Amino acid sequence: GMSESQGKDSLGGIFSFLKSKMSEGDFSKISQAVPEAGQLASDADAKIQGGGGGGGGLMGSAMGMLGGGGGGASGGGIDGLGDLMGFFGKQGVNPQQATGLMGNLSGFLKDNAGVDPSSVLGTGGSGASSGAEGLASQAQGLLGAFGK
């Protein structure tokens, strides 16, 4: 499973990515459904610019090189799926966890914000990927921890 801090960091990374890809109007709908979205995105951006916090080490820098790491054209935010996956890697989140979280967040935002980010995230619509049921409840739990 994911720790709470991994979960928050991962959600922050997703929100940062969505913020760079979606219209301001859509992102403000997300912020209404998840009031912490903007703050989580800013925290994630700061981690990227600051070298990923804690995750560092050789693996962190290798993932950074693969994922484009910091300082792209966007001023260091997450503006591509490669950046996002690299960011997950730095937080110690594996691809299955990441995909499950993105799928669940897509479903949550579709239901609660009236915005469907699945095309942006490449999660192709509704629910969790194969065998991600435990992760589904974990994502719901995390989002529940943020209130509604």
Side-chain angles (χ1 to χ4, degrees), residues 67-97:
S74 71
I78 295 174
D79 58 2
L81 277 174
D83 285 348
L84 186 57
M85 287 302 170
F87 180 76
F88 286 139
K90 283 185 186 169
Q91 309 317 315
V93 174
N94 70 40
Q96 278 99 348
Q97 291 174 316

Side-chain angles (χ1 to χ4, degrees), residues 13 20 26 33 40 46-47 51 59 63 73 95 98 105 127 131 133 135-136 140 145:
S20 76
D26 279 352
L40 288 169
K47 278 200 169 194
M59 188 63 192
M63 289 302 287
L105 186 63
E133 287 316 301
L135 194 68
Q140 289 301 323

Side-chain angles (χ1 to χ4, degrees), residues 13-23 27 30 78 105 109 117 120-121:
I14 297 171
F15 288 133
S16 171
F17 176 66
L18 290 177
K19 199 171 177 180
S20 76
K21 292 291 180 204
M22 299 182 106
S23 71
F27 194 78
I30 291 173
I78 295 174
L105 186 63
L109 293 175
V120 179
L121 290 171

Side-chain angles (χ1 to χ4, degrees), residues 5 25 43:
S5 69
D43 292 348

